[in-house]
Amino acid sequence: GENVEQHPSTLSVQEGDSAVIKCTYSDSASNYFPWYKQELGKGPQLIIDIRSNVGEKKDQRIAVTLNKTAKHFSLHITETQPEDSAVYFCAAQKKTSYDKVIFGPGTSLSVIP
Amino acid sequence: EAGVAQSPRYKIIEKRQSVAFWCNPISGHATLYWYQQILGQGPKLLIQFQNNGVVDDSQLPKDRFSAERLKGVDSTLKIQPAKLEDSAVYLCASSLGQSTGELFFGEGSRLTVL
């Protein structure tokens, strides 16, 4: 089955710097790659997603890139702010909603003011 | 729009006792998921419902865990008897049920087994 790996497990950056989180997946049939942010005591919330027919997607300070050949995708956060501090999960899913969403182990991001 | 509701938020039980968690998904969402999130790990799918039917329960420990979704709306996840390793946050999520799309998560039910 699908396996999603994520690095680093923890990341500390100064406010205003950029943060990059990298993920790899094993199943070449996966074609949907969401990123979720989980704040303390809350459930994960979708922040951005990318589908396999697109190489890059950007939404304000957040961008995601996908390399299907290498089976890896990355989250880029620019101009980080203290409120970006949270745990971030990458995930992978095949083409239908019947296929389970497989989450990576998470990256704990701390933005130091 | 109301989000996914879960209860209770916290539960502490002794091992071998039973516990039940309840979830009310977003209105109109056909797909409902129960995830187990152990501290420091990513969510792991336990069971996925499409309306009333089970789509995937391959990782549900069926000797102790059970779940149902009556009338295609609310769902209950039960653990009986609980083990120490069941200590985790149980997250319920729902989605429209179309091809790949956003999961909407509740705040979770934190279970501690002593």
Side-chain angles (χ1 to χ4, degrees), chain B residues 27-99:
Chain B
S27 177
H29 280 195
T31 309
L32 186 147
Y33 315 76
W34 283 102
Y35 281 87
Q36 180 192 58
Q37 186 175 27
I38 293 172
L39 188 65
Q41 298 182 19
K44 183 186 85 171
L45 181 69
L46 292 176
I47 189 166
Q48 177 177 339
F49 293 94
Q50 183 74 14
N51 296 311
N52 289 343
V54 175
V55 173
D56 189 323
D57 63 356
S58 57
Q59 297 194 81
L60 186 73
K62 298 179 185 64
D63 57 335
R64 298 183 300 105
F65 286 64
S66 65
E68 60 181 8
R69 188 183 186 195
L70 300 176
K71 300 179 182 178
V73 182
D74 292 8
S75 178
T76 302
L77 176 71
K78 296 180 181 177
I79 307 174
Q80 182 179 14
K83 292 185 175 181
L84 297 177
E85 58 261 37
D86 298 332
S87 294
V89 175
Y90 292 85
L91 294 164
C92 179
S94 68
S95 70
L96 284 170
Q98 301 166 346
S99 61

